[in-house]
Amino acid sequence: MSRATVPLASDVGRQQFIALRDELHARHRNDDIAQVWDSMMQRERSVVLKAADISPRRSIDGIERFNREEVAAIRDGIGRMGRFANGLKDRCQSAPHPSASLATEARKALDSGDIESVKHFLALIEAMA
């Protein structure tokens, strides 16, 4: 095979370095945080600004209007909020659904032949839906 069809390890390393360099330059220009900021609603921006100890009145400003320290505080605030949201999501996913214990009781009643109790538990489960 020719060199043109099979990249050398040094070429791959160079490509990875260039991609990393470009990403770091974009972060320095705050392109990543600008995209997130632009996608946020004004109320969400206000919450982030409060968390960053910046006046929520500035929620209408574009990210380019903030100084370097403020952008860093905004980035940290968004990161904290993201971690908090992920923690909530993880807790909700790991917790059993409230109807799980009712379903267990319905199964026990079914096993014992108590159809009225089964109907009662199923009605409770349906009411939760």
Side-chain angles (χ1 to χ4, degrees), residues 19-103:
L20 179 61
R21 182 199 64 193
D22 291 345
E23 180 183 343
L24 291 173
H25 283 181
R27 284 187 181 215
H28 181 72
R29 289 190 312 267
N30 295 319
D31 291 351
D32 60 336
I33 197 72
Q35 290 172 352
V36 172
W37 189 253
D38 289 342
S39 70
M40 294 173 72
M41 293 187 298
Q42 188 173 350
R43 284 177 271 142
E44 294 168 332
R45 289 178 178 187
S46 294
V47 171
V48 170
L49 290 175
K50 284 181 186 178
D53 202 25
I54 300 170
S55 172
R57 292 181 184 163
R58 296 191 58 198
S59 63
I60 59 172
D61 291 350
I63 202 72
E64 68 280 352
R65 305 270 321 249
F66 295 94
N67 66 39
R68 186 178 306 154
E69 291 81 19
E70 291 169 329
V71 171
I74 290 169
R75 185 185 302 277
D76 291 343
I78 290 172
R80 283 191 308 276
M81 293 176 82
R83 287 187 299 277
F84 177 74
N86 285 336
L88 284 177
K89 184 176 75 171
D90 291 344
R91 275 183 259 159
C92 289
Q93 289 175 344
S94 65
H97 191 273
S99 65
S101 62
L102 295 173

Side-chain angles (χ1 to χ4, degrees), residues 78-125:
I78 290 172
R80 283 191 308 276
M81 293 176 82
R83 287 187 299 277
F84 177 74
N86 285 336
L88 284 177
K89 184 176 75 171
D90 291 344
R91 275 183 259 159
C92 289
Q93 289 175 344
S94 65
H97 191 273
S99 65
S101 62
L102 295 173
T104 301
E105 294 301 320
R107 275 192 216 93
K108 288 179 188 175
L110 186 61
D111 290 341
S112 68
D114 186 358
I115 300 302
E116 289 305 314
S117 292
V118 172
K119 289 179 182 179
H120 169 73
F121 288 118
L122 288 176
L124 291 173
I125 291 170

